[in-house]
Every structure is written in structure tokens, then in C-alpha cells.
Amino acid sequence: MKEITNLLGYRESIKVVDATLRDGGLVNDFYFKDDFVKALYQANIEAGVDYMEMGYRASKKVFDETKFGKWKFCNDDHIREIVGENDTELKLAIMADIGRHDKNDFDQKANSPVDLVRVAAYIHQMPEAIDMVEDAAKKGYETSCNIMAISNSQEQDIKVALDMLGKTPVDAIYIVDSFGSIYPEQMARIADTYMEFATKYGKKVGIHAHDNQQLAFANTIEACGDGVDWLDATYLSMGRGAGNCAMELLLGFLKNPKYNVRPVFKFIQEHMMKLKEEGIVWGYDLQYLMTGMLNQHPRSAIQFTKDGRTDFAEFYNEVLSLE
């Protein structure tokens, strides 16, 4: 059982990471207006958020630039248009998705407004992920690595990956519940495994949770109570499919007086609600529950949503057949 002080007190080591632009961009193909991004940036500053993820730095050799908004590619000039020189305590992050990035698109940290490069990879991509981590660290960036879809990975394979990453310059290693299929009791055991390797190698551990079973917040605070320090969240849970841990829930829970949930509510009222009114769809629904329960990628549920279907029982039969 966790010490109650782990939940009632606060740790200076906790870092809150806003992933709204990046994970939320998967919902609207990254077509965020600059006014929205500037307001989000300001809200994060006022709320005391530690890192703001500005989007992906995807390779234009892999993706057609005309089919996505600029935050899919998120170059330094785009970021400077929003933040200038970012003379604030808020740090800026971008994500490199292994197999869909080009490390040559990353300048030296001294020439960039970006502080943190977040590397996302599946277990079988660890060698390439490590290459990216080492390249970014050599250029002067902080680094983290998101090990995706761990609910579909063997425990021993995860331990091998953690040991491999522990020997690199990576600053934080992330637990990622990509399918929203993990329960808090399982999260406690997973966090213990990650913390074991993090302690051995002097690393931090983070969590990025999805809300398919409405457990993203529960899993995040479970991991937090187990010593996980880097906590991802998005405003109004905006993210792929069912979305993520809600920023308003997380900041309302954390006891550190540096965090202020009031600017979060204000931003949601003035900007996130407009996205909903414009017809952008995300958040918990039955189709995402089903893929989460069955530990499946939510792509079928996302297509179900795009098609405007409401035949949930038939869809359940369809996803069962994928087992």
C-alpha cells in the first residue's frame, strides 16, 4: 500500500507535460490556429505547467505536407512565431516518432527554442530509438523515450528495453498505455518495474495514459503515487480517440502550490469548447471502451467514429473477431 503522504503531499521532482498540441493534433490533423496555440502557451505558463509539447517533427519525406497542419512538422521557425525566445520557466518539447522522423531535421540545441526531444518507439524499434536519443543528447537537448503499446509486449522484452535505455543519456523513460487497456493494479506493478531500472541507472520515469476505459487519470495518479515523476496530460483530455489524462483533473489533484488550475478552466471555456462546437470529435465512447477492454489499437474505433456509426453491438462483434 502506498504511503498516504505520496498522495496528500507534493514532490518538487514532479513535472507536468502538456501534450494537447501533439496528441490532440491526431484528432484534427494538426490544423490548430496560431491564436489557439498562443493562448495554450499562455495558459500553460499561468498554470505552472513544466513542459509544453509543440507537436511532432515528422519527416516531410514520409508525410505529405499539404495534408496536415504545421504542428505535424513543428519546425523551429513555427515555434518562434508563437513563443519568441520563450523567456519563461515553461520548457518546450517536440516528438520524434521512430520510422517517421529524420534526425537531420534537428538543429543544435543552441540554435533551437526546443528544450526536450521526446522519442516514441515500439519495443522492436529500440536500436533506432537509442540512436535518436543519443543524437539529440549530443546536440544538447533533454531527451525522453516513450515505449509504446506496452500492454502488447512481453514483460521480459520490456525489461530488456529498459536496460538498453538505461545505458543511454535519456533523461526520462515513459510508460505508455497506448490502447487504454491497463488497470491501476497493473499500473502499480508496471511502475515498480520501470522504477527499478530508473533507480539503477539514475533516470526519471514518466506516464502517458489513454482514456479508453476512463482510467487515464486513475492510472496517472497511481503511477505518481508509485514514484513516477513526469506526468502527461491534455486540456479537456484532447487526444487520439478516447483522449488522455485531463489536465484539469491532474492539476486539481496535485498539491504543489506552483500549479494553478484556474487558467486551465479559462482556456477550456474560451478555446477547447470552440473546437467541440466546430465538430472536432474526441473522448470516451463505447467504441473506444471496446478496443480498450480487448487490448486493441483504437484504429477500428476511430474509423467507426468517422463513419458516424451507432451500431455498437455489431461493432463489438467485429472487434471480437479480430482477437
Side-chain angles (χ1 to χ4, degrees):
M1 180 180 291
K2 278 183 284 298
E3 292 289 337
I4 195 167
T5 52
N6 286 359
L7 298 179
L8 294 183
Y10 71 87
R11 301 195 305 273
E12 290 287 350
S13 56
I14 287 175
K15 305 295 182 186
V16 173
V17 181
D18 168 37
T20 306
L21 278 188
R22 201 271 309 162
D23 216 314
L26 295 168
V27 177
N28 69 347
D29 292 329
F30 300 89
Y31 285 110
F32 293 104
K33 296 176 182 177
D34 281 3
D35 287 347
F36 177 95
V37 181
K38 288 177 182 178
L40 177 59
Y41 170 69
Q42 190 60 40
N44 280 323
I45 293 169
E46 294 175 7
V49 169
D50 299 284
Y51 290 85
M52 176 177 174
E53 192 173 36
M54 302 299 293
Y56 283 102
R57 186 158 292 174
S59 172
K60 294 177 183 178
K61 299 173 185 175
V62 178
F63 294 97
D64 184 347
E65 190 176 5
T66 66
K67 295 182 179 179
F68 299 93
K70 62 186 177 182
W71 304 106
K72 177 78 169 180
F73 308 97
C74 193
N75 66 42
D76 287 344
D77 289 340
H78 292 155
I79 296 172
R80 286 195 177 94
E81 288 171 1
I82 302 298
V83 308
E85 294 305 314
N86 186 35
D87 187 20
T88 75
E89 294 185 4
L90 175 66
K91 292 186 176 183
L92 305 179
I94 52 174
M95 180 165 280
D97 199 356
I98 294 303
R100 301 171 181 176
H101 78 297
D102 186 340
K103 66 183 181 182
N104 295 321
D105 290 336
F106 292 79
D107 200 351
Q108 296 290 322
K109 165 63 188 103
N111 303 323
S112 173
V114 173
D115 300 286
L116 168 67
V117 173
R118 283 157 56 97
V119 178
Y122 293 101
I123 286 279
H124 68 275
Q125 297 173 315
M126 276 302 110
E128 191 175 355
I130 288 170
D131 180 63
M132 182 64 209
V133 164
E134 291 176 341
D135 181 76
K138 187 175 181 181
K139 290 174 177 174
Y141 296 97
E142 298 175 48
T143 59
S144 66
C145 184
N146 287 21
I147 307 177
M148 298 189 291
I150 60 166
S151 58
N152 271 358
S153 300
Q154 296 293 322
E155 181 180 2
Q156 189 57 41
D157 290 342
I158 294 172
K159 289 181 177 180
V160 171
L162 291 173
D163 196 58
M164 292 169 68
L165 284 168
K167 297 171 183 175
T168 75
V170 75
D171 295 290
I173 304 170
Y174 263 80
I175 303 165
V176 184
D177 183 14
S178 300
F179 303 159
S181 63
I182 294 173
Y183 295 95
E185 294 85 352
Q186 296 170 305
M187 182 57 67
R189 294 194 294 272
I190 293 166
D192 284 347
T193 298
Y194 276 63
M195 291 299 298
E196 176 187 343
F197 284 88
T199 300
K200 176 180 178 181
Y201 289 108
K203 309 298 183 183
K204 294 293 186 180
V205 177
I207 178 170
H208 181 87
H210 279 263
D211 209 28
N212 298 62
Q213 298 188 89
Q214 295 190 311
L215 292 172
F217 175 57
N219 280 324
T220 299
I221 64 173
E222 171 65 49
C224 178
D226 293 322
V228 172
D229 276 336
W230 290 37
L231 312 176
D232 281 19
T234 63
Y235 285 66
L236 205 62
S237 296
M238 187 182 187
R240 185 198 64 188
N244 305 103
C245 176
M247 182 67 76
E248 57 273 20
L249 283 170
L250 182 60
L251 293 193
F253 163 78
L254 293 173
K255 305 304 186 287
N256 191 333
K258 72 167 282 192
Y259 298 124
N260 180 8
V261 75
R262 188 182 301 275
V264 177
F265 290 137
K266 187 171 186 290
F267 179 82
I268 290 171
Q269 172 189 320
E270 296 178 354
H271 297 277
M272 300 302 296
M273 294 305 183
K274 289 182 181 178
L275 296 184
K276 290 280 191 181
E277 291 167 5
E278 291 167 3
I280 299 174
V281 179
W282 73 88
Y284 168 81
D285 211 333
L286 287 176
Q287 61 270 32
Y288 296 117
L289 165 63
M290 293 172 195
T291 58
M293 287 172 56
L294 297 171
N295 192 22
Q296 293 181 7
H297 192 288
R299 62 174 64 89
S300 60
I302 291 169
Q303 190 60 52
F304 179 96
T305 306
K306 288 181 178 178
D307 292 342
R309 292 174 58 183
T310 56
D311 54 334
F312 297 105
E314 177 58 30
F315 179 69
Y316 186 56
N317 289 333
E318 292 172 11
V319 291
L320 275 176
S321 71
L322 299 175
E323 287 292 287

